[in-house]
Amino acid sequence: MVLLWLLLEPAGLRAQVSFQIAPGMAGQFQVPQPPVEVIQAATAAVSFDPPVVRAGETAFYRVTIAAAESAIQWPDPIDAPPELKLGAAAHGQSAQVFGTQYRPATTFLQEIRATAAGHYTISNFTVSVNRQQLLIPAASLDVTDTNAAPLPAARRLHLELSATNIFVGQPVRVRVLLPAAEGKTVDGVRDVQFNGAGFMTDKTAMRMSITSVEVNDQIRPGFIFESAVTPMAAGPLSLSAQGFTAPPFSVGPISITSAGGPITLGGAGQVTPVFLVSDAVALNVRPVPLEKSPAGFTGTIGKFYYDPPRLSTNRMRVGEPVSLKVVFHGDGELTRLVPPATPRARDWQIIADPPPAIGFTLIPQSDETTHTPAIPFSYFDPETAKFVDLTIPPQRVTVVGESLPLQLAAADDELKTAAPLKLSSLAPAPGKAVTSLKPLQLRGWFIGLQLLPVLGFLALWRWDRRRRFLEAHPDLVRRLQARRALRRVKRRWQQAVVARDAASFVRHAADAMRIAVSPHLPADPQALVCADVLAQLDEAGSDRNRRLAQTVRMIFAVTDARFAVTPQAQADLLVLRAEVADVLQQLEEKL
Amino acid sequence: MKPNRLILLASLVALAGLGRAATNDYFAQGIRFSSAGQFPEAAAAFGQAAQARPAAGTLVNLGIAEWQRGRAGAAILAWEQARWINPFEARAQANLKFARPVAQVDEPPLKWFETASTWLPGDAWVWLAGASLWLAVGALVLPGVFRRRRAGWESSLASLGFGIFLVAMTANVGVVTRADLGVVLKKNAPLLLTPTRESEIVSTLAAGESARKLRVRGNYYFIRTALASGWIARDQFGLVDAR
Amino acid sequence: MKFPTIIKQFVLPLALALGGRALAADETNAVAPATGRDFYNAGTKLLAGKKYADAEKMFQSALAAQDEKVQPSALYNLGHARFDEGAGLLKKGPDAQKLNAQGNAALAAGEHAIHESEAALQDARIDKLVSAYLEGRGARHDLRDAEKAVQSAMETYGKTLLEWQRAAEDFKGVAELHPADTNAVWNAKIVDRSIANLVDSVRRMQEMSGRMGRQRQDLGKLLSKLKGQIPAPDAPPGAAGDEDEDDVQPGSLAGQKENASHEGDQMQIPISPEAAGQILNGLSLDGSRRLPMSDKQGAPAKEKTGRNW
C-alpha cells in the first residue's frame, strides 16, 4: 500500500498545476481580502427539512450557527428520540460578505429517518462556540403515516460518477447536480466538497454549467458542478458531495446551455446559503496489478496516445542540446498523466522539461551514438485491465564529433620531414577488393583447398603402383583384357539374338568362346579353334558338359563351314542360345 | 551444359553483379556526402560499401570521412585495413603517416617476419606458398612417376620452389600474427585489469593506439600495447582483419 | 610519449610487481612469488594476518599475472582486503558520536555567544561588551576546533569511501566472472549498503561543517564590532591580533556520491538518516566485531581463503 501511495504520489502532485494568471486578475490578487468577522455572540438556527415526512422517509436536521467551524465543538452523535434513526452526518462552513467583512456560518446536517408516525422533537442542547455555551433550540418533526399523501422531499444534491468499478489511481469524472425546484429558479452550488475516505479531488478539472437535466424522468433546468476524483485506496469506498446553495453567478464562470424550455436564473442578491448533501455513491476500487507493471509505468491510468515525437534537429555536435517534444492525447484527464521518468543512457545526458510540458532536453555525450535513447513509458488501461506500452521510440540522429586537423603547419619541422602535411584526397574508385578481410590462411575452405594437390599426388602414386604390379603379372592383364573383350562380344551376341540374326549369332558366339579361352593358352583368340575351346570345358566331367561341348562343335562347325562349298543352314541355330550362354558363363568363370 | 544449370549460373552472375552495383552505389553516395561535408553520412555509406565488399579505396575514403568527423581511431583502423588489402595503397600509407603524429600514437611494433609479410598482400603469400610447394613437390616426384630421368632444371626448380615456400611460410606466419593487430577506437578507452565492467583501470588508451590481441574472454579482448597490457571492451577495439 | 604517462604505464606496474615480490618473499620467508598463484597465496596469508595494505598489493599482482584460474579468487579476496582496510581506517578515525556532540556543543556555544554579542552591542556597556567579546572568542575557538575535527573525519571517510567503492567493484567483478558466486553478490550488496550509510554521514558532517563555518563568520563580524566599541584600555589581552583565523573550507568531499558508478544500474538503497547513523556507529565499534561480509558471519569466504595451490 505504501508502495502504491509512493507510486501515485506524483499523480497527486501533478494535480496542483499552476494556472496562468491574466494581467487583470493579477491586480486583483494584490487587493487585501476582507477581514473575517468574529461574532462575539453566535446565534443558531434549527430546522427540519422538510418539516413533515412520511414514516420511512428521510429528513434533514439542520443547525446553522453563525460562527467559524473551527470554533464549534459539535456533539457527535446528537440526542434524538429512538424512533428517529440517525443517518449520515455532514457539516460545512460558508462565508458571506457583508460590507467589508466576511461572516462565517457553519451548518451541521444530520440525516434522520423516522420509523413510525408521530410528532418528534430533538430537544434543545448546548454546544461550545468560541469557548462559550450556545443554546441550540429544540426542533420538531412531524411524521405521518406511510399511506398519507406524498409530501415534497428535501432538496438534495445528486451525485453522478462516470464509473464506479475502477482502479486505484484511475481518475473518474464526478457531476454534482442541483435541479431547480418545481417552479423555482436555478440555484448555484458553492464550496462543493466531496466526502469519502481515500479520494483525491482534482480542482484543476473543475467546471460549472447550467443546463437541462433529467431528474425523476422530468427535464428541469439545473446547476451542474463537474470535477474529477481519484481513488487512492483499494476496496469498497463511498463518495458523497456537499455544498451550499448560492446565486449562480457568484460561484464562478458558468456555461449555460438549454436543451428545452426556458432557464430562469436566481437573482444575484443576498440569499441565505442552504447546506445540501447528496446520497453516497458506492465504488468498487481495485488495486492496479503493479507486480506486472512494465518498465516506464509512472502510475498513469487511462487511455493515451501521442503524436510522433518531434526532435528539434537530428544533426548535432557532441554536447549540443536538442529538445524532444511529445504531445500526448488521451480519453481521460491529461492532467492525470504522469510524464515518463527521465531514463539514464550512456551516451546522453537527459533533462526532463519542467511540467506541465512533456518533453526532454537531450545532450549527446559521444559521437558514437546514432539514436536518441528510448524513453520507456506505459500506462494502465482500466477498460482492458492491462498495461499498454507507450515507449517513446529512439529517433535517428547524426552526432558530429570534434573535428581533427586536416593539415599541419609547415613550420613544424619535425613532422614536415617525417610525415605528409595534409590528409590525402578521396580515392576515386574502390580499387583492389577482397571478399573478406579475414586472411586466407585462417579460412576453412582454403585449408580444404590445399588437400586437392595432396589428393592428386596420392592418386598418381597409386596409379604408378598398380602399373608396376600389372607389369609383374602379365597373365592378370590378359585375363582383364579377355574379360573386357568378352563383355563387349557378348553384348553383340545378345544383340544378334534379339535381332534373330543367326549369322551374327554364330560368329559372335564363336568369337566370345575364343576370347574366353585365350588367356589360358595364351594365344591370340583368332588363332584358336574348336578343340582349344573344348579343352577348357572338361567334356568327360558331366552330361551337361558333353551337351555343351556338342553345342561348341555345332557353333564352330558353322563358322568353319564358311570355307565350305555349300554353307549350312543357320536359322535353327538360334535355338542354341541357352546352351551358348551356358558355355560362355562356364568359360567366363574360369577367367 | 543443361539449360537449368545455365539459368542457375546466369542468376548467380546476375546476383554478383547486383551486389557489386549496390557496393558501387554506396561508394558513390559516400563520395557525394564527403563532397557536401556530410562526413557522418559519408562514413556510414563508405562503411556499408566496405562491409559489402572490402576494397582498399573504399577503406581509404572511410578513413578520411571518419577522420573528418573526429574519430581518429576508426580512421586509422580503416587505413590499416586498406593497407592490409593492398600494401601498396599510397593514400592509406600517406594518411597513416600524417594521422599518427597528429593523434600522438605510434605505429605497431612488428616482428621481422611480420614486416616481411607486408611486402605483398596477405593472400598473395598464401597462394605463393601453395604454388611453390606443389611446384617443388611436382618437380621432385613427377619425373619418377613418368619414368623419366630427373633433369637438372627440374632439381633446380624443386630447390627454388622449396626456398620460396620457406620464405612464403614465414611471411604467412607474419600475416596470421598480424591479423591479431588492432586499433583502439575510442578516446581514453580504459585498459582494464580484469575482464569485468567494474574493473580497476590499468591505463587509458588514446584513440588510434595500436595493440595486439592476445586472448578473448566474454566481451573483452586481452591486448598488449607498446607499454601496457590489459583488457579492453570489444566495442572499443577494432581488429585489422575485422573479425 | 609524455613522462608522466611513461611512469604510469611502465614504471609503476614494474615497481608494483617488484614491491609485491619483495613483500611476498618477506612475508612467506620463502622464494619470491613468481606466478599469479604464488601472489594469491601470499596475499591470502597477509589477509589472514590482517595486513590489508600488503595483501591488497599481493592480490593486485596476482590479478596482473592474468591467470584465469586465479583471477576470480584474487579479485574476491582483494575486495575483502579493501573493505577491511576501509573499515580499519574508520575505526582509527574520530568517533562519529563524539564528533557530533562536539559539533553540536560548539554550535550551541556559538549561538549563545552571538546572542550575547548582539545584546551587548545594543546595551553598549563596557563590561558587557568585554564579557561578550571574551565569550565570542572562546566560542569561535571551539567552532574552529570542531570544524577541524569534522574536516579530519571527512578526510578519513573519504579514504574509506574510496576503498569501499573499489571493494564493491571487486565483488561485482567476481560476480561478473562467476555469475554463480552468490557470496560475491551478497558482499557487493553489503558494501554498497555500507557506502550508502557512510555517504549519509559525510553529508551530515558537511552540513554541520557548513553551519559551523557560517556561524564562525557571523561571530567574527560581531567580534570586530565589539572590539571597535571597547576602548583600548579596557580591551582584553590578545584582542589586537585577533582578526584572522585560518579558515578551513569544508566540503573536500563535495560532490561525493553514493557509489558513483559506471553504467547507472547499481543498486540504490534508500536509508533513513537515523538508520545510517546507527550503522555508521556500528562501523566504528569495537575491534572484535566484524561486519558481515558473507552469509556466514565471522568467516568471510572461508573456502576462498582456504584454497591453496
Side-chain angles (χ1 to χ4, degrees):
Chain A
M1 185 55 70
V2 173
L3 184 68
L4 185 67
W5 182 83
L6 282 171
L7 185 72
L8 295 168
E9 173 71 355
L13 294 174
R14 284 280 302 155
Q16 300 173 9
V17 177
S18 61
F19 55 90
Q20 294 288 318
I21 297 168
M25 279 181 78
Q28 289 177 25
F29 276 91
Q30 291 159 15
V31 177
Q33 294 294 305
V36 176
E37 184 190 20
V38 179
I39 299 165
Q40 293 301 318
T43 56
V46 188
S47 65
F48 270 102
D49 181 17
V52 182
V53 291
R54 289 192 299 182
E57 285 182 349
T58 303
F60 291 108
Y61 173 64
R62 181 181 285 119
V63 179
T64 304
I65 301 171
E69 192 175 354
S70 57
I72 303 166
Q73 288 182 357
W74 183 255
D76 188 26
I78 55 168
D79 285 334
E83 291 82 1
L84 300 182
K85 298 289 176 204
L86 300 184
H91 54 88
Q93 178 184 301
S94 70
Q96 280 184 295
V97 181
F98 287 93
T100 57
Q101 283 190 319
Y102 273 133
R103 189 169 292 169
T106 304
T107 303
F108 292 88
L109 205 66
Q110 178 71 57
E111 194 182 31
I112 283 176
R113 188 180 297 277
T115 53
H119 179 79
Y120 302 103
T121 302
I122 293 180
S123 53
N124 55 0
F125 56 97
T126 57
V127 294
S128 169
V129 178
N130 285 326
R131 295 178 188 165
Q132 290 179 353
Q133 294 301 307
L134 173 69
L135 182 72
I136 308 295
S140 297
L141 175 69
D142 285 321
V143 181
T144 61
D145 192 47
T146 48
N147 298 326
L151 296 160
R155 277 189 95 183
R156 62 168 64 220
L157 300 173
H158 295 264
L159 178 65
E160 292 175 356
L161 274 78
S162 59
T164 53
N165 190 18
I166 55 176
F167 286 91
V168 175
Q170 178 188 349
V172 281
R173 290 211 64 79
V174 285
R175 287 208 318 167
V176 178
L177 310 179
L178 181 62
E182 194 71 44
K184 296 276 181 71
T185 57
V186 176
D187 284 328
V189 184
R190 59 185 294 175
D191 298 330
V192 176
Q193 194 179 313
F194 293 98
N195 300 322
F199 286 97
M200 196 179 67
T201 310
D202 185 354
K203 288 180 180 167
T204 59
M206 199 172 74
R207 269 203 306 270
M208 286 172 284
S209 58
I210 292 174
T211 185
S212 301
V213 294
E214 189 181 336
V215 177
N216 298 333
D217 299 329
Q218 286 186 327
I219 302 288
R220 281 194 226 165
F223 177 87
I224 297 175
F225 174 92
E226 284 181 285
S227 185
V229 295
T230 307
M232 304 300 290
L237 301 181
S238 71
L239 186 74
S240 64
Q242 66 177 48
F244 288 88
T245 58
F249 288 110
S250 68
V251 296
I254 300 175
S255 66
I256 302 172
T257 51
S258 172
I263 292 175
T264 316
L265 302 176
Q270 203 64 258
V271 177
T272 307
V274 180
F275 185 58
L276 299 175
V277 295
S278 75
D279 284 337
V281 176
L283 290 99
N284 178 33
V285 183
R286 289 176 285 165
V288 175
L290 289 176
E291 65 281 358
K292 293 177 189 165
S293 66
F297 180 60
T298 55
T300 301
I301 299 178
K303 219 168 196 175
F304 302 92
Y305 63 96
Y306 56 72
D307 293 340
R310 280 180 294 118
L311 203 61
S312 56
T313 175
N314 62 355
R315 192 180 183 83
M316 65 215 76
R317 290 201 159 272
V318 172
E320 183 185 330
V322 287
S323 70
L324 177 72
K325 298 283 178 205
V326 191
V327 178
F328 278 87
H329 304 278
D331 290 353
E333 278 292 333
L334 273 178
T335 52
R336 312 302 306 180
L337 187 142
V338 186
T342 309
R344 297 180 72 170
R346 204 177 65 173
D347 291 333
W348 292 88
Q349 186 187 347
I350 307 167
I351 304 160
D353 290 352
I358 298 177
F360 297 89
T361 300
L362 308 171
I363 307 170
Q365 304 294 299
S366 152
D367 60 354
E368 302 284 330
T369 186
T370 55
H371 288 83
T372 60
I375 297 171
F377 181 60
S378 57
Y379 67 87
F380 183 74
D381 184 351
E383 274 182 27
T384 57
K386 281 180 182 166
F387 290 96
V388 180
D389 184 28
L390 211 60
T391 297
I392 300 166
Q395 308 292 308
R396 189 165 178 79
V397 290
T398 303
V399 183
V400 184
E402 295 164 28
S403 55
L404 290 162
L406 303 181
Q407 59 179 37
L408 296 173
D412 195 339
D413 290 337
E414 193 189 340
L415 293 172
K416 193 167 63 178
T417 50
L421 286 173
K422 62 176 190 175
L423 214 58
S424 76
S425 58
L426 289 175
K432 187 188 173 199
V434 291
T435 52
S436 163
L437 286 169
K438 191 174 175 181
L440 269 180
Q441 291 88 333
L442 298 176
R443 283 190 240 173
W445 69 264
F446 186 80
I447 294 163
L449 191 70
Q450 298 310 303
L451 287 177
L452 284 181
V454 175
L455 290 175
F457 276 101
L458 204 66
L460 207 60
W461 172 73
R462 281 190 65 83
W463 170 76
D464 185 51
R465 201 170 149 213
R466 182 171 171 73
R467 189 179 62 173
R468 287 172 195 278
F469 175 77
L470 291 178
E471 277 171 1
H473 301 86
D475 56 318
L476 285 180
V477 179
R478 280 198 295 275
R479 281 169 196 270
L480 273 173
Q481 286 172 345
R483 272 195 215 112
R484 215 175 295 139
L486 182 61
R487 276 200 295 277
R488 199 166 50 242
V489 176
K490 265 177 88 177
R491 226 172 11 246
R492 288 184 199 142
W493 172 75
Q494 277 164 348
Q495 283 167 355
V497 170
V498 172
R500 302 197 61 77
D501 181 355
S504 294
F505 170 80
V506 171
R507 191 172 69 248
H508 292 315
D511 285 348
M513 289 173 196
R514 286 193 192 101
I515 288 166
V517 300
S518 63
H520 302 298
L521 295 172
D524 185 343
Q526 293 304 319
L528 301 181
V529 293
C530 180
D532 298 324
V533 176
L534 290 173
Q536 298 301 323
L537 274 179
D538 188 18
E539 194 176 354
S542 64
D543 286 345
R544 179 173 169 266
N545 282 2
R546 270 197 292 280
R547 203 175 60 247
L548 294 179
Q550 189 56 37
T551 304
V552 171
R553 283 193 190 92
M554 286 172 75
I555 292 295
F556 274 91
V558 174
T559 55
D560 294 345
R562 61 189 161 159
F563 305 108
V565 179
T566 51
Q568 286 197 359
Q570 295 167 351
D572 54 337
L573 288 176
L574 283 170
V575 298
L576 293 174
R577 67 172 181 271
E579 285 77 7
V580 172
D582 272 358
V583 171
L584 290 177
Q585 189 185 351
Q586 202 169 10
L587 293 176
E588 196 173 355
E589 281 168 3
K590 286 187 173 179
L591 267 177
Chain B
M1 198 175 279
K2 288 179 182 175
N4 285 348
R5 288 185 188 171
L6 272 175
I7 290 167
L8 185 68
L9 189 69
S11 307
L12 285 173
V13 169
L15 274 176
L18 275 177
R20 196 161 299 184
T23 310
N24 286 337
D25 283 351
Y26 284 131
F27 185 84
Q29 224 173 48
I31 296 270
R32 275 201 302 277
F33 281 130
S34 288
S35 307
Q38 292 177 290
F39 298 110
E41 289 81 358
F46 286 129
Q48 276 175 311
Q51 203 172 17
R53 191 172 167 78
T58 309
L59 287 163
V60 165
N61 291 356
L62 172 64
I64 292 171
E66 292 284 15
W67 182 268
Q68 301 231 34
R69 70 185 292 204
R71 293 184 181 177
I76 289 174
L77 177 66
W79 291 325
E80 282 288 6
Q81 286 174 335
R83 217 163 55 157
W84 175 259
I85 294 172
N86 181 9
F88 313 113
E89 173 52 65
R91 281 187 173 86
Q93 279 182 355
N95 287 342
L96 282 171
K97 277 187 182 171
F98 166 79
R100 283 206 161 106
V102 174
Q104 294 186 327
V105 293
D106 296 324
E107 272 198 67
L110 297 181
K111 298 185 180 87
W112 65 268
F113 52 89
E114 288 176 336
T115 307
S117 75
T118 60
W119 297 338
L120 286 176
D123 292 356
W125 284 116
V126 77
W127 286 116
L128 191 64
S132 59
L133 173 71
W134 298 121
L135 185 72
V137 172
L140 281 181
V141 173
L142 291 180
V145 171
F146 295 119
R147 299 192 175 173
R148 284 199 295 105
R149 196 183 180 82
R150 192 181 298 125
W153 68 268
E154 284 168 337
S155 299
S156 305
L157 193 65
S159 305
L160 182 69
F162 278 121
I164 293 171
F165 174 71
L166 285 175
V167 173
M169 277 313 285
T170 314
N172 274 317
V173 173
V175 171
V176 171
T177 55
R178 266 203 305 139
D180 286 331
L181 287 175
V183 176
V184 176
L185 296 175
K186 291 192 178 173
K187 271 182 230 167
N188 301 323
L191 190 67
L192 307 171
L193 185 62
T194 55
T196 58
R197 261 192 318 167
E198 313 272 352
S199 167
E200 205 167 318
I201 295 169
V202 176
S203 163
T204 51
L205 303 176
E209 199 160 330
S210 296
R212 192 180 291 273
K213 183 199 84 182
L214 300 179
R215 264 190 281 163
V216 184
R217 180 160 179 175
N219 204 26
Y220 296 87
Y221 289 129
F222 183 70
I223 60 165
R224 191 171 60 222
T225 67
L227 292 174
S229 53
W231 298 88
I232 189 168
R234 280 185 181 213
D235 62 345
Q236 297 182 355
F237 187 74
L239 285 165
V240 170
D241 75 341
R243 266 177 293 169
Chain C
M1 187 162 294
K2 290 174 185 171
F3 185 65
T5 318
I6 292 171
I7 288 192
K8 193 176 170 188
Q9 293 194 341
F10 190 66
V11 181
L12 282 182
L14 185 70
L16 192 71
L18 291 176
R21 281 185 182 214
L23 260 172
D26 183 43
E27 176 60 29
T28 55
N29 291 321
V31 183
T35 63
R37 196 182 304 172
D38 297 342
F39 280 116
Y40 171 75
N41 286 337
T44 306
K45 278 183 188 168
L46 287 164
L47 181 64
K50 296 189 176 177
K51 294 181 179 174
Y52 303 125
D54 295 341
E56 193 179 329
K57 284 176 191 159
M58 281 293 135
F59 290 131
Q60 276 183 310
S61 301
L63 288 176
Q66 298 296 344
D67 184 339
E68 277 187 29
K69 285 180 187 167
V70 178
Q71 215 166 33
S73 306
L75 197 57
Y76 186 93
N77 282 358
L78 180 61
H80 260 292
R82 281 174 168 159
F83 186 82
D84 289 344
E85 173 78 6
L89 284 172
L90 262 193
K91 219 158 45 179
K92 283 179 203 158
D95 187 309
Q97 272 182 335
K98 280 184 189 168
L99 206 63
N100 207 28
Q102 186 187 356
N104 285 333
L107 280 168
E111 191 68 36
H112 187 259
I114 286 171
H115 266 289
E116 288 297 305
S117 303
E118 283 170 349
L121 281 170
Q122 275 189 347
D123 210 357
R125 275 171 49 192
I126 301 296
D127 58 334
K128 274 203 167 183
L129 286 170
V130 171
S131 160
Y133 182 79
L134 289 173
E135 189 185 341
R137 269 180 62 182
R140 194 168 61 166
H141 188 261
D142 288 351
L143 280 170
R144 192 179 54 199
D145 286 352
E147 255 190 285
K148 275 184 183 167
V150 167
Q151 194 67 34
S152 152
M154 286 205 296
E155 273 172 27
T156 307
Y157 286 9
K159 285 177 190 165
T160 303
L161 267 179
L162 285 178
E163 289 287 344
W164 284 2
Q165 278 175 350
R166 284 296 332 147
E169 285 165 6
D170 292 339
F171 287 126
K172 284 172 192 167
V174 177
E176 204 179 326
L177 288 173
H178 277 178
D181 194 336
T182 51
N183 279 356
V185 177
W186 172 258
N187 286 357
K189 280 183 188 172
I190 293 286
V191 179
D192 276 345
R193 206 176 303 162
S194 305
I195 288 170
N197 298 336
L198 194 56
V199 169
D200 278 349
S201 296
V202 170
R203 282 183 183 155
R204 278 202 301 277
M205 284 197 179
Q206 275 180 321
E207 194 188 335
M208 185 188 270
S209 179
R211 276 169 58 203
M212 286 193 288
R214 281 194 298 275
Q215 208 175 59
R216 201 154 60 85
Q217 239 175 0
D218 294 348
L219 209 49
K221 284 176 192 163
L222 284 170
L223 285 177
S224 300
K225 282 184 190 171
L226 285 171
K227 203 166 72 175
Q229 293 207 4
I230 300 172
D234 296 321
D242 190 44
E243 289 299 324
D244 58 325
E245 279 190 277
D246 43 342
D247 277 350
V248 181
Q249 290 301 324
S252 63
L253 286 170
Q256 185 69 260
K257 284 181 184 165
E258 292 182 17
N259 196 17
S261 78
H262 297 243
E263 291 287 5
D265 55 354
Q266 82 279 20
M267 202 165 68
Q268 290 188 349
I269 304 164
I271 189 158
S272 70
E274 289 76 18
Q278 221 171 12
I279 298 167
L280 180 63
N281 292 337
L283 290 175
S284 56
L285 279 179
D286 50 313
S288 60
R289 191 174 137 194
R290 280 185 76 106
L291 279 168
M293 284 297 290
S294 71
D295 44 358
K296 289 175 187 170
Q297 284 259 0
K302 199 173 175 185
E303 64 276 27
K304 300 276 174 185
T305 51
R307 194 188 290 173
N308 203 340
W309 282 282

